[in-house]
Amino acid sequence: MKVLKLLLSIGFITQIIWAMPNSAMGAKMEKATFAGGCFWCMESPFEKINGVSSVISGYIGGSKNMPTYEEVSAGLTGHTEAIQITYDETKVTFNDLLEIFWVNIDPTDSKGQFVDRGTQYRPGIYFHNDKQKLDAEKSMKQLSDSKIYKKEIVVEILKAKTFYAAEEYHQDYYKKNPIRYKFYRYTSGRDAFLDESWGKNKFYIKNTGSKFSRPTEKEIEKKLNDLEYKVTQENGTEPAFNNNFWDNRREGIYVDIVSGEPLFSSTDKFISGTGWPSFTRPLEGKHVVEKDDSKYGMKRTEVRSKEGDSHLGHVFDDGPDPTGLRYCVNSASLVFIPKEELEKKGFKKYLKLFKAQKK
């Protein structure tokens, strides 16, 4: 009893409860299956999304039961490399996943993806119900009508068949072999193509009815105070335990102070003990980009906002479940929007994150 009182007196129990995963009550689990070339490169963008519980690499669409990687890669079975996502529809929609899918592939190439050639690498959306089919067709038409690509959009939309999980060494390859994975992505031409297609101020987004972009340099200088400018524009770091949000426990989302794009949610926030706001994952992975950072004699991974190009902080692999990641972010890079103001500020779609939680 004395130990319990001591723990309560220092707020230990409160911190553990606050850092625990959100309640699964009210969850509506669904599956989504996408093919976009090498499945190694398709796992990472989805695994960081709030509401996604698992992403499995595997094979779909062929004629042989239990195909092996050697058989699929040789084109002997008719299968396609794909990923199958299990997600909570109360937190993330199929349309949200489609947007992430489009910005991670070349939708104009039906004969493969980047250096990977052959039918086993053709892009595809495999729907699990009629609504997913209609959503996929509508989303593809919107992308085609946007004229972002001069070529025809040729992604197949097919009914999902049996999905076979790939061998264990293929699962979470980007985590198990980070150096080889990054080298493969770079040399395959995937990253160069995506940067060219979805560069600054070209980002394809319709979530909030607005398009996020970086203001002019003069507008940024006028908008930010000295600390905010130093952190976001000069890669600075604010003092630990002496910033706006390290201990903020209100429900809501955090947006980029420069562009206003949504970055993190209180549903993924936890007390890390570092004195900076810490999150297990981004609110939407497409708004947060990672870059190698070797300054100060250390090898780290910097995180920046996609459109605002603001320095946010760094990501480390010492975080809690469900991702094992710790996004250590400067408060000076963020603006907090409480859940009560989400609709008014144009972020109505994120209200579902908080309605799904146990009261």
Short mmCIF file of all heavy atoms in Angstrom, two decimals, residues 5-31:
data_model
loop_
_atom_site.label_atom_id
_atom_site.label_comp_id
_atom_site.label_asym_id
_atom_site.label_seq_id
_atom_site.Cartn_x
_atom_site.Cartn_y
_atom_site.Cartn_z
N LYS A 5 0.83 4.25 -2.85
CA LYS A 5 0.64 5.66 -2.53
C LYS A 5 1.79 6.50 -3.06
O LYS A 5 1.61 7.62 -3.55
CB LYS A 5 0.53 5.85 -1.01
CG LYS A 5 -0.80 5.34 -0.43
CD LYS A 5 -0.86 5.59 1.07
CE LYS A 5 -2.20 5.14 1.65
NZ LYS A 5 -2.25 5.36 3.11
N LEU A 6 3.01 5.95 -2.99
CA LEU A 6 4.17 6.68 -3.48
C LEU A 6 4.08 6.88 -4.98
O LEU A 6 4.32 7.97 -5.50
CB LEU A 6 5.45 5.93 -3.13
CG LEU A 6 6.77 6.53 -3.68
CD1 LEU A 6 6.96 7.93 -3.12
CD2 LEU A 6 7.94 5.64 -3.33
N LEU A 7 3.70 5.80 -5.70
CA LEU A 7 3.58 5.90 -7.14
C LEU A 7 2.51 6.90 -7.53
O LEU A 7 2.69 7.70 -8.46
CB LEU A 7 3.23 4.53 -7.74
CG LEU A 7 4.33 3.47 -7.65
CD1 LEU A 7 3.82 2.13 -8.17
CD2 LEU A 7 5.57 3.89 -8.40
N LEU A 8 1.39 6.88 -6.83
CA LEU A 8 0.33 7.83 -7.12
C LEU A 8 0.78 9.25 -6.84
O LEU A 8 0.43 10.19 -7.55
CB LEU A 8 -0.92 7.50 -6.30
CG LEU A 8 -1.68 6.24 -6.75
CD1 LEU A 8 -2.76 5.90 -5.73
CD2 LEU A 8 -2.32 6.47 -8.11
N SER A 9 1.57 9.42 -5.81
CA SER A 9 1.99 10.77 -5.42
C SER A 9 2.89 11.41 -6.45
O SER A 9 2.94 12.64 -6.58
CB SER A 9 2.73 10.72 -4.07
OG SER A 9 3.98 10.07 -4.21
N ILE A 10 3.60 10.60 -7.22
CA ILE A 10 4.50 11.18 -8.23
C ILE A 10 3.88 11.14 -9.62
O ILE A 10 4.51 11.47 -10.61
CB ILE A 10 5.86 10.46 -8.26
CG1 ILE A 10 5.68 8.99 -8.65
CG2 ILE A 10 6.56 10.59 -6.93
CD1 ILE A 10 7.00 8.24 -8.81
N GLY A 11 2.61 10.69 -9.67
CA GLY A 11 1.92 10.69 -10.96
C GLY A 11 2.30 9.55 -11.87
O GLY A 11 2.00 9.57 -13.06
N PHE A 12 2.95 8.51 -11.31
CA PHE A 12 3.44 7.42 -12.14
C PHE A 12 2.29 6.69 -12.83
O PHE A 12 2.34 6.41 -14.02
CB PHE A 12 4.24 6.44 -11.27
CG PHE A 12 4.84 5.30 -12.03
CD1 PHE A 12 5.98 5.49 -12.79
CD2 PHE A 12 4.28 4.04 -11.98
CE1 PHE A 12 6.54 4.45 -13.49
CE2 PHE A 12 4.83 3.00 -12.68
CZ PHE A 12 5.98 3.19 -13.42
N ILE A 13 1.24 6.40 -12.07
CA ILE A 13 0.11 5.67 -12.64
C ILE A 13 -0.55 6.49 -13.74
O ILE A 13 -0.91 5.97 -14.79
CB ILE A 13 -0.93 5.34 -11.55
CG1 ILE A 13 -0.29 4.44 -10.47
CG2 ILE A 13 -2.14 4.66 -12.14
CD1 ILE A 13 0.17 3.11 -10.99
N THR A 14 -0.68 7.79 -13.52
CA THR A 14 -1.29 8.66 -14.52
C THR A 14 -0.53 8.62 -15.82
O THR A 14 -1.11 8.56 -16.90
CB THR A 14 -1.35 10.10 -14.01
OG1 THR A 14 -2.09 10.12 -12.80
CG2 THR A 14 -2.02 11.00 -15.02
N GLN A 15 0.81 8.62 -15.72
CA GLN A 15 1.61 8.62 -16.93
C GLN A 15 1.47 7.32 -17.70
O GLN A 15 1.40 7.31 -18.92
CB GLN A 15 3.09 8.85 -16.59
CG GLN A 15 3.36 10.25 -16.07
CD GLN A 15 4.84 10.56 -16.02
OE1 GLN A 15 5.64 9.80 -16.55
NE2 GLN A 15 5.20 11.66 -15.42
N ILE A 16 1.40 6.18 -16.97
CA ILE A 16 1.26 4.90 -17.65
C ILE A 16 -0.07 4.83 -18.38
O ILE A 16 -0.15 4.44 -19.54
CB ILE A 16 1.36 3.73 -16.65
CG1 ILE A 16 2.80 3.62 -16.13
CG2 ILE A 16 0.91 2.42 -17.29
CD1 ILE A 16 3.01 2.51 -15.13
N ILE A 17 -1.14 5.24 -17.70
CA ILE A 17 -2.46 5.21 -18.32
C ILE A 17 -2.50 6.09 -19.55
O ILE A 17 -3.06 5.73 -20.58
CB ILE A 17 -3.55 5.65 -17.31
CG1 ILE A 17 -3.66 4.60 -16.19
CG2 ILE A 17 -4.89 5.85 -17.99
CD1 ILE A 17 -4.58 4.99 -15.08
N TRP A 18 -1.89 7.27 -19.48
CA TRP A 18 -1.92 8.21 -20.59
C TRP A 18 -1.18 7.66 -21.80
O TRP A 18 -1.51 7.95 -22.95
CB TRP A 18 -1.32 9.53 -20.15
CG TRP A 18 -1.56 10.64 -21.10
CD1 TRP A 18 -2.74 10.99 -21.69
CD2 TRP A 18 -0.61 11.56 -21.59
NE1 TRP A 18 -2.58 12.07 -22.50
CE2 TRP A 18 -1.28 12.45 -22.45
CE3 TRP A 18 0.76 11.74 -21.36
CZ2 TRP A 18 -0.62 13.49 -23.09
CZ3 TRP A 18 1.40 12.78 -21.99
CH2 TRP A 18 0.71 13.64 -22.85
N ALA A 19 -0.14 6.84 -21.53
CA ALA A 19 0.67 6.31 -22.63
C ALA A 19 0.16 4.99 -23.18
O ALA A 19 0.66 4.51 -24.18
CB ALA A 19 2.12 6.10 -22.15
N MET A 20 -0.88 4.42 -22.57
CA MET A 20 -1.41 3.16 -23.04
C MET A 20 -2.11 3.32 -24.38
O MET A 20 -2.63 4.37 -24.69
CB MET A 20 -2.39 2.58 -22.02
CG MET A 20 -1.72 2.02 -20.77
SD MET A 20 -2.93 1.48 -19.55
CE MET A 20 -3.69 0.11 -20.40
N PRO A 21 -2.14 2.24 -25.21
CA PRO A 21 -2.87 2.30 -26.49
C PRO A 21 -4.33 2.62 -26.27
O PRO A 21 -4.91 2.31 -25.25
CB PRO A 21 -2.68 0.90 -27.07
CG PRO A 21 -1.47 0.36 -26.39
CD PRO A 21 -1.47 0.96 -25.01
N ASN A 22 -4.95 3.25 -27.27
CA ASN A 22 -6.35 3.61 -27.17
C ASN A 22 -7.23 2.39 -27.09
O ASN A 22 -6.91 1.33 -27.59
CB ASN A 22 -6.76 4.43 -28.40
CG ASN A 22 -6.00 5.71 -28.48
OD1 ASN A 22 -5.73 6.33 -27.47
ND2 ASN A 22 -5.62 6.11 -29.69
N SER A 23 -8.37 2.54 -26.50
CA SER A 23 -9.31 1.45 -26.37
C SER A 23 -9.77 0.98 -27.74
O SER A 23 -9.97 1.76 -28.66
CB SER A 23 -10.53 1.90 -25.55
OG SER A 23 -11.54 0.93 -25.62
N ALA A 24 -9.92 -0.33 -27.85
CA ALA A 24 -10.39 -0.89 -29.11
C ALA A 24 -11.90 -0.95 -29.19
O ALA A 24 -12.46 -1.41 -30.18
CB ALA A 24 -9.81 -2.30 -29.29
N MET A 25 -12.56 -0.49 -28.13
CA MET A 25 -14.02 -0.54 -28.14
C MET A 25 -14.57 0.35 -29.26
O MET A 25 -14.12 1.46 -29.47
CB MET A 25 -14.58 -0.07 -26.78
CG MET A 25 -14.26 -1.02 -25.65
SD MET A 25 -15.08 -0.53 -24.12
CE MET A 25 -16.79 -0.75 -24.58
N GLY A 26 -15.55 -0.18 -29.97
CA GLY A 26 -16.14 0.58 -31.06
C GLY A 26 -15.39 0.45 -32.36
O GLY A 26 -15.78 1.06 -33.36
N ALA A 27 -14.32 -0.35 -32.39
CA ALA A 27 -13.53 -0.50 -33.60
C ALA A 27 -14.31 -1.28 -34.65
O ALA A 27 -15.10 -2.17 -34.33
CB ALA A 27 -12.22 -1.23 -33.29
N LYS A 28 -14.10 -0.94 -35.91
CA LYS A 28 -14.71 -1.64 -37.04
C LYS A 28 -13.58 -2.03 -37.98
O LYS A 28 -13.15 -1.24 -38.81
CB LYS A 28 -15.74 -0.75 -37.74
CG LYS A 28 -16.47 -1.46 -38.87
CD LYS A 28 -17.46 -0.52 -39.56
CE LYS A 28 -18.16 -1.24 -40.72
NZ LYS A 28 -19.06 -0.31 -41.46
N MET A 29 -13.10 -3.25 -37.84
CA MET A 29 -11.93 -3.67 -38.57
C MET A 29 -12.27 -4.11 -39.99
O MET A 29 -13.24 -4.84 -40.22
CB MET A 29 -11.22 -4.81 -37.82
CG MET A 29 -10.89 -4.49 -36.36
SD MET A 29 -10.04 -2.90 -36.12
CE MET A 29 -8.47 -3.24 -36.92
N GLU A 30 -11.47 -3.62 -40.95
CA GLU A 30 -11.64 -3.94 -42.36
C GLU A 30 -10.28 -4.30 -42.96
O GLU A 30 -9.24 -4.08 -42.33
CB GLU A 30 -12.24 -2.76 -43.12
CG GLU A 30 -13.60 -2.30 -42.62
CD GLU A 30 -14.73 -3.23 -43.05
OE1 GLU A 30 -14.46 -4.17 -43.84
OE2 GLU A 30 -15.86 -3.03 -42.59
N LYS A 31 -10.31 -4.82 -44.19
CA LYS A 31 -9.07 -5.13 -44.89
C LYS A 31 -9.01 -4.36 -46.20
O LYS A 31 -10.04 -4.11 -46.84
CB LYS A 31 -8.97 -6.63 -45.18
CG LYS A 31 -8.75 -7.48 -43.92
CD LYS A 31 -8.47 -8.92 -44.30
CE LYS A 31 -8.33 -9.78 -43.05
NZ LYS A 31 -7.19 -9.34 -42.20
#
